[in-house]
Amino acid sequence: MRHLLILIFALIVCFTACTDKATETVVPCGDGHTISISFVTPTVVRLQYAMGDTLKSNNTGVVVYDGAPISVKHTFDGDIERLTSDEVAVELNKSTHAITVRDKRNGNIIFQTDAQKPFMSEQVAKVDVTYDESTAHVEHTANGDVTVKDEIRRDTIGYITKYRMAFRFHQDEALYGLGAHMEDYMNLRGKTMYLTQHNLKAMVPVLMSTRGYGLLFDAGCGMIFSDNGNESYMELEAANEMDVYIMTGYCMDNVVKEYRNLTGQCPMMPRYMFGYIQSKERYVSQDDLIGTLREYRNRRVPIDMIVQDWNYWPEGWGYMKMDPKYYPDPKAMADSVHAMNAHLMVSIWPNPQYCPQEKDFSQRGYMLKQSVYDVFNPEARDYYWSYANNEFFSKGFDAWWCDCSEPIDGDWKNMGSDYGWDNHYERWLHNMEALSISLGEERSSLYSLYHAMGIYENQRRTTSDKRVVNLTRSSYAGQQRYATITWNGDTHASWQSFKQQIPAGLNFMATGCPYWSVDIGSFFTGGNDPWGRWFYKGEFPDGCKDESYREYYTRMLQWGTFLPMMRSHGTDTPREIWRFGEAGTTYYDAILKMINLRYKLLPYIYSNARRITSESYTMARILAFDFANDHNVLDIKDEYMFGDAMLVCPVTDPGATTRDVYLPQGCDWYDFWSGEKHRGGERIIADAPIDKIPVFVRAGNIITMGQEVQHSAEQRDKAIDIVIYPGADATFTLYDDEGDNYNCEKGEYATVRLTWEESSHTLTIGKRKGQYKGMAATQTFNIITPTGKASIVYDGKETRETI
């Protein structure tokens, strides 16, 4: 009996050693460093590598996940220490410290570091700059007024640590992400990317792979990604540790879900945000803004929001106060906008200068160097909101345009003849230094994240009756949880720039930050700047008076119709539709055609927006999301999916009336305009007259379309067309709610499941689930297929229709 008990005890000890519940292993590296591997979820691994014998978080605030511990099997095999969850296995080579992540199901490698030298670190001097405050003065730049001071000296005040992590990528995998950039890259394999925040560069340190994993680098500093053929790595320029979340998911949609699980889900945007938005630099008075909106209504051109840009303040720069001379009654202005069934967005800045607001913030200790408010201080964020609320939100303004959210951009002045808009290394170096001096090296890229946090959290505390909308020029990992839309900065109007903006946005949205937009028409239209500055490179100095610019604007607007936000904006020339002709003329009619199409697509767009919130979906999708196994699509820069159904192919060449289109393999495709059917896996020449952007619909899909209306709320209760594109079974969930409050978070919304059965050509309209205030009891559905039509009055009960 005694021997039996000893045997049982030995078996228990052996079993325990192989099924350790600990989710983490911490290993001293023997070279003065420590490495840690831990499971956050069964499919997400956190890898930390730090100088010294302790791990120190980078304290970015990016990751908010706080899930329960999970069961992990911990085993050893010679030099290999292995942690295995229900989904993946992570191997640490204790001699080289190389990391390999495998699919538990088949043992295939998902991700691996370099085998011999996976990690490096280096200490470099930390520099502080002392300024002569008596020399402070304002310089006028294209980015607004900037306070400039002379440097007295630079002092070394300690050290910061650089970290590098080296990878071994699979030969045929493609990489995407890292934010929005102007380098004109789609697939990032073989590329070098210099990452920091500045105009035309919105950094999001997330890398996505077609092999079904993503990397989130949780640090707030500038970075360099390089895959140059000899070595592949990510370098952090100033961090407490290399801190990486390896997100696995077998496909890119699942990886995005893991990213949002870690960093926060996207709140539901209001319906009006998906309508047409008119902006320019700038409406100069209350009467100017209201008169412009009234002209849209008089012409019966749909519009949902008008935007008040900068310089509305009575003094200084960035003062959240409207000049009473030109804006005598901000509340009455907002009320007038609402009376015309539209909404009002206002530009606010983080850098008040030479105005009462700056003095107030300074006296309270809420200002950083370079005259920007301290977003890292929660009291300062709350106080910033008090200004925004008192002058705007409490008076009925609807949405925020948080401009200059980098918030320091060091390259607006003449930087020399070799400092071009495409000199990416020099701009990275110059801007990273400017941000580091003011914000600190370790958090130089985090400003926009915390700025957005202050707006979102304070508005949510103020009311639940209005959804937060924040259009902002910068971004970071996690910022999607604060209801932000990032736009790509102050672009110049050239066909080359147009082409580069498309992959910039697609890479941004591939990171898990789904809302991105552009200045339709580009910001700067003119060129020939006497100082040769990088931003004055536009090719259309006569703006909308120039026939060639009218073509350019129209082609950009067609593309913008299929982005999450459709917004016209820029300087140098007006942007309203009547500036491009009158009704019955080529460009006016082409523009109106696309704005009307945007409104007809609102049921499809708004339902996909709900998927962003409820399913971690991505609406504007690089082709690799849906066709990762089709190697022909991996580096296509100028085609993408808009929802599951629509393939969008912008026209980016002047004078074009056709364009070459590749139709991804694995399905058939329908021409959206003509209904003509094409086989996938082929290249075709698509018609592209000035009033048409090539769009194709994947067979086996449903698109829900509304009627032509003047604003988004008018779409409610009108008939909806259910357009079937046969060829395979299809499903679509139609979503609706009140449109602009957070009752949807309490379950007050309605969904209808649409199911197409290809074999019987039958559409099932499922039982309506849920309800919301003001919902109509019945809904007219027009069912449309290539071979027939039917119309029914739906009362919320399941119904089937064979076409």
Side-chain angles (χ1 to χ4, degrees), residues 245-261:
Y245 291 83
I246 305 168
M247 305 169 291
T248 66
Y250 311 114
C251 69
M252 293 180 68
D253 275 311
N254 286 343
V255 176
V256 169
K257 289 181 182 179
E258 296 291 3
Y259 164 80
R260 302 248 186 94
N261 189 35

Side-chain angles (χ1 to χ4, degrees), residues 744-789:
C744 58
E745 294 182 349
K746 303 173 186 177
E748 296 182 25
Y749 59 86
T751 60
V752 178
R753 184 75 164 174
L754 310 175
T755 304
W756 171 255
E757 298 174 16
E758 177 67 14
S759 59
S760 62
H761 272 223
T762 299
L763 176 72
T764 300
I765 303 176
K767 180 181 178 181
R768 181 192 290 128
K769 295 183 179 179
Q771 60 182 359
Y772 58 88
K773 184 179 179 181
M775 184 182 75
T778 61
Q779 171 73 60
T780 298
F781 286 130
N782 301 316
I783 306 167
I784 303 170
T785 75
T787 57
K789 297 181 180 181

Side-chain angles (χ1 to χ4, degrees), residues 495 540 542-557 577-582 585-588 590-591 690:
W495 292 97
F540 310 100
D542 294 329
C544 60
K545 297 178 182 178
D546 183 346
E547 178 92 0
S548 58
Y549 180 69
R550 294 183 180 199
E551 178 191 8
Y552 177 85
Y553 180 88
T554 301
R555 290 305 195 186
M556 278 204 77
L557 183 127
I577 184 173
W578 55 87
R579 312 292 186 176
F580 297 87
E582 288 295 334
T585 62
T586 299
Y587 298 107
Y588 186 103
I591 292 168
I690 190 58

Side-chain angles (χ1 to χ4, degrees), residues 122 161 193:
E122 175 188 4
T161 306
M193 300 286 286

Side-chain angles (χ1 to χ4, degrees), residues 83-235:
L83 293 176
T84 307
S85 73
D86 292 339
E87 300 290 338
V88 297
V90 184
E91 299 170 356
L92 168 66
N93 186 311
K94 298 177 73 173
S95 296
T96 65
H97 310 121
I99 306 293
T100 301
V101 180
R102 296 182 184 273
D103 185 336
K104 181 188 174 184
R105 300 171 301 176
N106 52 31
N108 291 342
I109 293 175
I110 300 172
F111 164 81
Q112 60 187 150
T113 64
D114 181 80
Q116 300 303 317
K117 203 168 186 180
F119 301 101
M120 294 174 59
S121 69
E122 175 188 4
Q123 285 195 314
V124 296
K126 180 181 179 70
V127 176
D128 185 48
V129 178
T130 301
Y131 294 97
D132 184 350
E133 298 295 331
S134 67
T135 65
H137 63 283
V138 173
E139 291 190 2
H140 303 286
T141 76
N143 196 44
D145 289 357
V146 177
T147 298
V148 178
K149 306 171 187 176
D150 293 343
E151 285 188 20
I152 296 176
R153 65 178 185 273
R154 295 191 172 209
D155 302 306
T156 299
I157 58 171
Y159 294 91
I160 56 176
T161 306
K162 290 184 180 182
Y163 286 96
R164 179 178 290 191
M165 179 178 178
F167 318 112
R168 179 180 292 178
F169 295 124
H170 194 272
Q171 184 176 359
D172 63 355
E173 75 178 292
L175 299 173
Y176 307 97
L178 299 181
H181 314 284
M182 290 302 293
E183 284 86 340
D184 196 24
Y185 300 152
M186 187 72 257
N187 182 359
L188 301 180
R189 291 301 309 276
K191 311 298 193 302
T192 296
M193 300 286 286
Y194 299 101
L195 306 174
T196 193
Q197 308 288 11
H198 64 79
N199 204 309
L200 304 182
K201 187 174 286 287
M203 171 188 175
V204 181
V206 174
L207 198 63
M208 293 287 186
S209 170
T210 52
R211 288 184 66 80
Y213 71 87
L215 304 175
L216 164 61
F217 297 89
D218 189 6
C221 58
M223 304 180 190
I224 301 174
F225 167 77
S226 185
D227 179 38
N228 59 22
N230 297 319
E231 55 183 347
S232 305
Y233 62 84
M234 178 68 87
E235 180 175 285

